[in-house]
């Protein structure tokens, strides 16, 4: 993967995103719809919290016994005719998959939606090898046409309006402009169908891998994952080591909460159970199936007793929808495949210390913890990563404006221990700033406060008045 952007890049990209009012409108609208749908299906399903607790317990236990479950999964997959490859890092995974495609003489690859293949930069490797790889999830297809990364784990094109997509299709395909979603979807479907029929190599991600039976579960809404895994002669499933769960009976707990939390559905349209390559008598399916099991920093997360909880993540994207930071800057500002609260946790471990600034991109409000379907304590882990970054061998170097704000916050924390001093400073500020206020608000502030008033007004400080003591009744 290319070099991860530095803290200054995030500071600049997030500043630009905050100033993009149209982007914020799109993010607020889309995330609000997600949350409304989630609230509705949750209310209609009283056992939701019980299922959430069960999923948390199963994942926690699975992560604690990951070595045993991966051995069991591998044995069952190989017994079903799959070829299993363990990739220590992204480069090993890329090289294995691209070499396999070359050995099969593949020239056209169809890809189902997969954040793991985004993580390892698989499309770039295919392109360098002269192999045409097409994303077949509609959102992924749209951002690929734009030459962009997905900006959301579940909704890759969340930052775009239907008008943006209509103009994109006009520019790319030369069709008459339309912003009607039905017509745009029909246009994409007609083009992708031909691509599926011509493809000789398919790649998808994996939502869950069941150790007991050697079954891979792919959950999606458009059928692209099913077509990518069954139509080509060679199929590759790419999964992180954390995707494994022990038993088939465990799966129902996750299916009950994943779609509800991710997209506000009772169940996704397609839930595929993949049990190996085509066998004698089967009408469809690949002649050859490979499973690439990726580490890429996950073992280091497993070794950390606090951080390992993040491996419970089932990539529902709900924490992005409620995050006040993500909803204002969008996914691209993070410059990471995994944005938002959970991305701020996993990115430093997958992409190295260069992403060490991301755990600081949080208000620690706790909304992500409240909505997480597997009850990951995201704020606690973010604080843990902040502590590690601050005390590490190479502590993070922040842009000057942020560093000044941090020093100011530390000084304020010391001053706030003395209420009389705070009241005196409040009175002083109220007197000094009164001439500059307009309708009770300040439009410009000096120093580090200037970043606030670039985008919103600041309420003018007012003198603190002590409450009058209550008089005893006469």
């Amino acid at each position: 993967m290319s070099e991860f952007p530095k803290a200054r890049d995030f500071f600049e990209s997030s500043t630009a995103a905050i100033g993009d009012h149209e982007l914020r409108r799109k993010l607020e609208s889309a995330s609000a719809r997600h949350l409304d749908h989630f609230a509705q299906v949750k209310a209609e399903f009283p056992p939701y919290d019980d299922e959430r607790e069960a999923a948390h317990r199963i994942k926690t236990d699975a992560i604690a016994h990951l070595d045993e479950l991966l051995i069991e999964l591998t044995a069952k997959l190989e017994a079903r005719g799959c070829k299993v490859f363990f990739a220590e890092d992204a480069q090993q995974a890329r090289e294995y998959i691209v070499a396999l495609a070359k050995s099969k003489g593949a020239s056209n690859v169809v890809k189902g939606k997969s954040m793991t293949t985004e993580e390892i930069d698989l499309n770039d490797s295919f392109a360098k090898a002269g192999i045409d790889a097409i994303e077949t999830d509609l959102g992924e297809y749209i951002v690929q046409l734009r030459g962009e990364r997905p900006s959301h784990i579940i909704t890759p094109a969340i930052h775009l309006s239907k008008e943006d997509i209509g103009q994109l299709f006009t520019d790319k395909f030369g069709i008459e402009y339309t912003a009607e979603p039905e017509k745009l979807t029909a246009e994409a479907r007609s083009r992708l169908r031909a691509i599926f029929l011509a493809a000789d190599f398919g790649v998808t991600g994996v939502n869950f891998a069941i150790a007991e039976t050697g079954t891979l579960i792919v959950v999606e809404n458009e059928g692209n994952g099913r077509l990518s895994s069954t139509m080509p002669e060679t199929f590759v499933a790419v999964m992180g080591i954390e995707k494994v769960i022990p038993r088939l009976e465990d799966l129902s707990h996750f299916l009950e909460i994943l779609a509800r939390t991710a997209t506000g559905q009772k169940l996704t349209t397609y839930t595929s159970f993949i049990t190996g390559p085509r066998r004698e008598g089967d009408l469809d399916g690949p002649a050859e199936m490979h499973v690439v099991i990726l580490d890429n920093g996950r073992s280091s997360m497993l070794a950390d007793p606090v951080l390992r909880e993040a491996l419970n993540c089932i990539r529902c994207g709900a924490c992005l929808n409620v995050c006040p930071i993500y909803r204002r800057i969008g996914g691209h500002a993070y410059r990471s495949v995994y944005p938002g609260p959970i991305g701020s946790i996993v990115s430093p471990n997958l992409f190295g210390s260069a992403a060490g600034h991301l755990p600081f991109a949080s208000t620690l409000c706790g909304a992500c913890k409240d909505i997480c379907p597997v009850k990951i304590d995201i704020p606690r882990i973010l604080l843990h990563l902040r502590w590690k970054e601050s005390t590490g061998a190479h502590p993070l170097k922040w842009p000057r404006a942020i560093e000044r704000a941090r020093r100011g916050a530390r000084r304020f924390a010391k001053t706030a221990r003395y209420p009389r001093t705070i009241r005196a400073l409040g009175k002083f500020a109220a007197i000094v700033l009164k001439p500059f206020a307009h309708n009770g608000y300040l439009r410009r502030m000096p120093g580090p406060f200037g970043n606030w008033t670039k985008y919103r007004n600041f309420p003018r400080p007012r003198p603190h008045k002590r409450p009058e003591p209550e008089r005893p009744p006469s």
Side-chain angles (χ1 to χ4, degrees):
M1 184 169 180
S2 57
E3 183 181 354
F4 198 90
K6 298 177 182 178
R8 183 174 299 279
D9 298 311
F10 171 75
F11 181 67
E12 292 173 353
S13 60
S14 58
T15 300
I18 288 172
D20 187 341
H21 296 288
E22 182 63 15
L23 172 64
R24 290 176 61 183
R25 182 192 66 79
K26 295 170 187 174
L27 292 171
E28 287 290 341
S29 174
S31 56
R33 284 198 304 273
H34 274 298
L35 295 174
D36 287 345
H37 294 159
F38 166 63
Q40 182 178 346
V41 295
K42 180 183 176 184
E44 295 171 351
F45 185 62
Y48 177 82
D49 286 326
D50 291 338
E51 295 290 358
R52 189 178 176 222
E53 182 62 41
H56 169 78
R57 185 177 62 254
I58 293 165
K59 279 292 286 185
T60 301
D61 182 67
I63 297 302
H65 299 88
L66 201 52
D67 53 345
E68 301 168 16
L69 292 177
L70 287 171
I71 292 171
E72 184 179 4
L73 174 68
T74 301
K76 294 296 172 60
L77 287 170
E78 291 177 341
R80 290 179 175 272
C82 300
K83 298 180 181 179
V84 180
F85 177 75
F86 278 85
E88 183 178 346
D89 54 29
Q91 182 177 346
Q92 285 188 6
R94 288 193 302 266
E95 290 177 350
Y96 178 86
I97 298 169
V98 173
L100 176 63
K102 285 182 176 180
S103 71
K104 300 298 178 183
S107 57
N108 297 295
V109 175
V110 286
K111 289 180 73 260
K113 188 175 184 306
S114 166
M115 294 307 296
T116 311
T117 59
E118 291 283 350
E119 175 189 328
I120 65 175
D121 260 347
L122 184 58
N123 284 358
D124 286 348
S125 294
F126 275 136
K128 289 175 183 176
I131 298 171
D132 195 18
I134 303 297
E135 296 289 349
T136 59
D137 170 86
L138 181 55
E140 293 269 359
Y141 183 56
I142 289 166
V143 295
Q144 186 181 37
L145 288 173
R146 287 172 59 94
E148 295 176 337
R149 290 278 199 182
S151 62
H152 191 283
I153 292 174
I154 294 296
T155 318
I158 194 173
H159 59 295
L160 301 173
S161 65
K162 60 182 184 292
E163 291 79 14
D164 296 330
I165 298 166
Q167 190 59 54
L168 173 69
F169 279 24
T170 297
D171 295 341
K172 292 290 184 180
F173 304 142
I175 63 172
E176 183 180 353
Y177 172 80
T178 178
E180 294 183 34
E182 294 81 5
K183 291 183 178 179
L184 295 171
T185 303
E187 178 66 27
R189 182 183 293 117
S190 66
R191 293 177 179 275
L192 288 172
R193 285 285 175 174
I195 292 169
F196 280 122
L197 291 171
D200 39 27
F201 197 92
V203 181
T204 74
V206 175
N207 291 94
F208 305 99
I210 301 170
E212 177 186 52
T213 60
T215 306
L216 305 183
I217 311 300
V218 176
V219 177
E220 37 109 11
N221 274 318
E222 299 171 17
N224 63 90
R226 185 166 293 182
L227 289 168
S228 298
S229 61
T230 57
M231 294 193 69
E233 282 297 287
T234 306
F235 166 57
V236 179
V238 186
M239 57 172 277
I241 59 174
E242 79 281 9
K243 296 293 186 179
V244 63
I245 58 175
R247 298 166 297 276
L248 185 60
E249 66 186 38
D250 296 329
L251 179 64
S252 63
H253 300 290
F254 295 97
L255 295 182
E256 293 283 17
I257 59 174
L258 175 56
R260 285 182 166 87
T261 313
T263 54
Q265 298 170 266
K266 295 178 181 178
L267 192 68
T268 46
T269 308
Y270 296 92
T271 302
S272 300
F273 290 65
I274 302 173
T275 57
R278 184 172 66 239
R279 291 178 283 273
E280 187 177 351
D282 288 348
L283 298 177
D284 56 21
E288 192 171 309
M289 177 174 165
H290 296 248
V291 181
V292 176
I293 302 178
L294 178 69
D295 186 332
N296 200 35
R298 290 164 173 81
S299 290
S300 64
M301 295 174 67
L302 182 64
D304 186 317
V306 176
L307 192 54
R308 65 164 52 186
E309 185 182 357
L311 294 174
N312 288 2
C313 177
I314 57 175
R315 301 292 191 265
C316 70
C319 61
L320 282 66
N321 299 331
V322 296
C323 177
I325 304 297
Y326 178 89
R327 292 178 69 167
R328 282 157 181 78
I329 67 175
H332 289 152
Y334 289 81
R335 308 288 186 92
S336 172
V337 171
Y338 300 110
I342 193 64
S344 296
I345 289 173
V346 302
S347 294
N349 294 277
L350 302 183
F351 308 124
S353 61
H357 57 280
L358 290 180
F360 293 86
S362 170
T363 64
L364 301 176
C365 66
C368 50
K369 175 185 176 183
D370 293 340
I371 202 170
C372 177
V374 287
K375 304 181 71 172
I376 300 172
D377 193 343
I378 294 176
R380 173 174 175 255
I381 302 173
L382 289 171
L383 284 172
H384 174 67
L385 288 172
R386 290 184 184 188
W387 173 81
K388 288 181 69 174
E389 184 62 51
S390 300
T391 59
H394 303 287
L396 190 63
K397 292 183 179 179
W398 289 93
R400 290 181 181 177
I402 293 182
E403 189 55 44
R404 285 197 301 268
R406 294 181 73 197
R407 287 199 299 266
R410 286 195 291 266
R411 285 195 292 267
F412 176 78
K414 292 179 181 179
T415 308
R417 298 174 186 174
Y418 305 97
R420 289 183 180 178
T421 304
I422 290 293
R423 283 196 291 269
L425 290 173
K427 289 180 180 179
F428 177 75
I431 295 169
V432 171
L433 296 174
K434 184 176 181 180
F436 304 99
H438 180 74
N439 292 332
Y441 286 89
L442 298 164
R443 293 180 176 177
R444 295 179 185 274
M445 291 279 283
F449 300 101
N451 285 328
W452 176 284
T453 51
K454 278 182 183 178
Y455 308 106
R456 58 186 69 81
N457 295 332
F458 191 87
R460 177 179 70 84
R462 289 174 170 77
H464 175 77
K465 293 182 179 180
R466 291 192 180 202
E468 293 187 5
E470 293 185 9
R471 295 181 180 180
S474 57

